[in-house]
Amino acid sequence: MLNVGIGIVLLFVILGVGALVFSKLTRYNDSDELAKGNEAAGLYMGSKLLGLCIIVAMVSFSTHSWIAMLIWSVVGIIILCLVYFIFDWVTPRTKVCEEIAKGNMAVAQLLRSLIIGVSVVIGTFLM
C-alpha cells in the first residue's frame, strides 16, 4: 500500500508540474479559457496530461525506481513541449495558440491525436 500511495503522490506532483509547464507554453491563459468553456483548450490541455500519464504509466511498468519515473517524466514533459513547437513550426499558417483560444476543435483534435500517439511511442521506448 505504501508503494501505491507514493506512486499516486508522485503522479499528482508530475501532473501538477506538467500542467504548470504546459500552461506557460501557451500564449493564452488556460484557466481563463477553461472557465469560459473553451472546449478546444480543455481538450488540448487534457491531451497533454493524458500523454504525460501514458509516459508515466509505461515507465512505472518497466521500472520500480521512483527516480527513473521522475527523470522519464521530465523527459516526457520536454518531448510533449517539443511536439507543440514542431507542430507550430511545420504549420506556419496555423498558429496553435490562436486557434485553440478561438475554440478551433479541428486543431485541438489533431493535436490530441499527435500528442497521444507520440506519448505511446515514447513510452514504448522506455520499456
Side-chain angles (χ1 to χ4, degrees):
M1 287 303 279
L2 180 62
N3 266 352
V4 171
I6 292 170
I8 290 171
V9 168
L10 280 177
L11 177 63
F12 284 130
V13 168
I14 291 164
L15 290 177
V17 169
L20 180 66
V21 170
F22 298 147
S23 290
K24 297 298 180 191
L25 189 64
T26 59
R27 292 181 194 100
Y28 56 84
N29 186 306
D30 288 303
S31 298
D32 289 348
E33 292 302 317
L34 293 173
K36 290 190 289 188
N38 184 336
E39 290 181 30
L43 182 68
Y44 183 42
M45 177 56 85
S47 299
K48 291 183 279 189
L49 294 176
L50 176 60
L52 188 53
C53 284
I54 291 168
I55 292 170
V56 170
M58 291 187 166
V59 168
S60 66
F61 184 73
S62 64
T63 183
H64 296 293
S65 166
W66 300 120
I67 300 298
M69 180 191 269
L70 290 171
I71 290 169
W72 285 109
S73 296
V74 169
V75 170
I77 291 169
I78 292 167
I79 289 169
L80 293 177
C81 289
L82 286 173
V83 167
Y84 164 79
F85 286 122
I86 291 169
F87 182 83
D88 204 36
W89 180 65
V90 299
T91 58
R93 290 185 180 170
T94 305
K95 294 300 177 194
V96 173
C97 283
E98 291 174 15
E99 293 303 315
I100 298 293
K102 289 192 281 187
N104 187 332
M105 287 296 287
V107 171
Q109 294 279 12
L110 179 60
L111 282 167
R112 178 188 69 172
S113 299
L114 186 61
I115 288 166
I116 292 171
V118 167
S119 297
V120 170
V121 171
I122 295 304
T124 60
F125 291 163
L126 307 176
M127 295 184 79

